[in-house]
Amino acid sequence: MQLLRILQSQGFGARRACRELILAGHVQVNGRVVEDPEAECDTAALTLTLDGQDWRYREKVYLALHKPAGFECSRQAQHHPSVFGLLPAPLLERGVQPVGRLDQDSTGLLLLSDDGAFIHRYTSPKKEIGKTYRVVCKHPVSETQIAALLDGVLLRDEPAPIAARACARVSENVIDLGIAEGKYHQVKRMLAAAGNRVESLCRTRVGGYSLPSDLGAGQWRYLEDADLARLAESA
Ligand code: URA
C-alpha cells in the first residue's frame, strides 16, 4: 500500500496533512525515514514512527480502556469529560467508538474499536455477551436479594423479568453480578428492584476477557489476537 494511504488509514490526518508529514521527513517506516508519499510499503510487519512514537500498522483497532469514574462515553460529552480525551489523536481520527457504554459514574472495562462489524457483534442484544460487574451496594446484600437477582426481577418498561446469569457474594455489601444483556442502567435498576441500591459499579469482564489488573484507571491498551479470542469466549 502507498505510504500516503497508510498514514491516512492510521489516523494521521487528511491526505494533504499526511503528504506534508512525509515530505518534511517526519515519517519513519520500520526505522528508516521515507520521504516519498507514493512509496509502496508492505503492511504485514510495518511500524511507523512519528515524533519519536512507534505505531504498528493495524487494519482495525481494538482497545481496552479502564474507564475512571466521572467520564462520559459519548464524544460530545455534556457534563463531564469524555473518555475520548483519554486516547491519542490518531485513534480518535480513526473513528473508534465505545462497544457498549458505561454510566458516567461507573468504572472498569470499556472496549472501543473502529471495526463496525465487531461493534455490532458485541452490542447486538441477540448475541447476549456476558458481562460481569463488581457491585458495591448501600445495604448488606441479603440471601433473598441474591435469590431475587438470580430468579429475575421486573424492571420498568421491560415485558419480562430479567435474571442475572451469576451472582456471587464478595463481602457483606459487595457482589459480583453477571448479566447477559446491556440495557440502560441495567445493574442499578436490577439492584433497586431487588431492594438495594448501587453505590459503585465496576465492569470487570466482558465475554471471557477480564480487566487487566495492571491497567490503571484512565489507561488503555490494544487488544491483541489472544485477547480477542478470550473476549469471544462466553463468560
Ligand atoms: N449497569 C448500570 O446500571 N450502569 C452501567 O454503567 C453498566 C451497567
Side-chain angles (χ1 to χ4, degrees), residues 102-103 106 133 185-188 201:
L102 286 170
D103 296 337
S106 299
Y133 294 86
H185 290 337
Q186 183 171 337
V187 174
K188 290 174 183 164
L201 196 58

Side-chain angles (χ1 to χ4, degrees), residues 89-167:
L91 295 179
L92 304 186
E93 177 81 21
R94 289 181 69 139
V96 296
Q97 297 294 333
V99 183
R101 292 184 174 209
L102 286 170
D103 296 337
Q104 168 276 125
D105 54 352
S106 299
T107 62
L109 181 59
L110 181 69
L111 306 175
L112 298 110
S113 179
D114 60 352
D115 180 344
F118 174 86
I119 296 172
H120 181 258
R121 192 164 350 118
Y122 281 91
T123 51
S124 161
K126 284 198 202 114
K127 291 286 192 299
E128 301 216 326
I129 305 293
K131 295 160 235 12
T132 304
Y133 294 86
R134 172 69 50 99
V135 190
V136 179
C137 299
K138 184 167 166 77
H139 311 290
V141 186
S142 68
E143 290 307 317
T144 314
Q145 288 172 357
I146 291 179
L149 290 165
L150 289 169
D151 284 348
V153 285
L154 197 54
L155 305 181
R156 221 173 65 197
D157 298 332
E158 292 299 332
I162 297 187
R165 269 192 186 170
C167 184

Side-chain angles (χ1 to χ4, degrees), residues 1-13 15 18-19 22 37-40 43 57:
M1 204 194 290
Q2 271 189 356
L3 181 56
L4 181 58
R5 276 190 53 211
I6 291 174
L7 226 55
Q8 275 184 273
S9 74
Q10 302 300 288
F12 291 100
R15 194 177 166 80
C18 289
R19 176 179 286 278
I22 298 167
E38 271 82 49
E40 285 293 328
T43 54
Y57 173 85

